[in-house]
Amino acid sequence: MTEIKFESPENEPSAFNLYLEGKKIGEMIVEIRDGDMTVFHTEVDPEQEGKGYAAQLLEAMTSYVRAHDLKVVPMCTYVHVQFDRHAEQYEDILSKNGSRF
């Protein structure tokens, strides 16, 4: 069973960390500033790719953003592509002030 935790340790980047049976297997690195959440990077362990874990991280991030009335600046390639492919699904949380590729 997977678990996703939003963790923001001191002196380290904030991240949505994905755990499988207690072992960290993925992360989405983010920064929250001035009402925007910039997503810098999404990564899943190579042996776990293709199992939908990146999509789970994306879902956790977008749920968090909506719950906290934030907007997303999708600097991460994966998030950028998903926001473009499913624009209608994410248009409400896409930052108008942030830069995109």
Side-chain angles (χ1 to χ4, degrees):
M1 183 169 122
T2 61
E3 179 182 21
I4 297 175
K5 298 179 185 178
F6 179 69
E7 299 173 319
S8 188
E10 196 169 318
N11 299 321
E12 289 186 37
S14 298
F16 291 90
N17 291 313
L18 173 66
Y19 297 90
L20 177 62
E21 298 174 4
K23 179 184 176 210
K24 182 177 166 185
I25 62 164
E27 66 184 6
M28 181 178 279
I29 305 296
V30 302
E31 177 183 65
I32 299 172
R33 183 179 297 169
D34 300 326
D36 282 338
M37 177 179 283
T38 302
V39 182
F40 294 105
H41 180 69
T42 302
E43 183 174 356
V44 174
D45 288 351
E47 63 272 6
Q48 300 296 336
E49 289 178 359
K51 298 179 181 178
Y53 292 136
Q56 288 182 29
L57 286 165
L58 179 64
E59 177 61 32
M61 181 273 292
T62 57
S63 293
Y64 184 95
V65 164
R66 287 185 173 110
H68 293 87
D69 198 30
L70 299 170
K71 300 292 182 182
V72 176
V73 179
M75 299 300 292
C76 163
T77 303
Y78 173 75
V79 175
H80 175 79
V81 167
Q82 295 305 314
F83 272 48
D84 279 350
R85 281 187 186 156
H86 309 284
E88 68 289 341
Q89 185 176 346
Y90 301 114
E91 65 188 349
D92 64 313
I93 58 171
L94 179 60
S95 176
K96 305 298 184 225
N97 300 321
S99 64
R100 293 177 67 188
F101 287 70

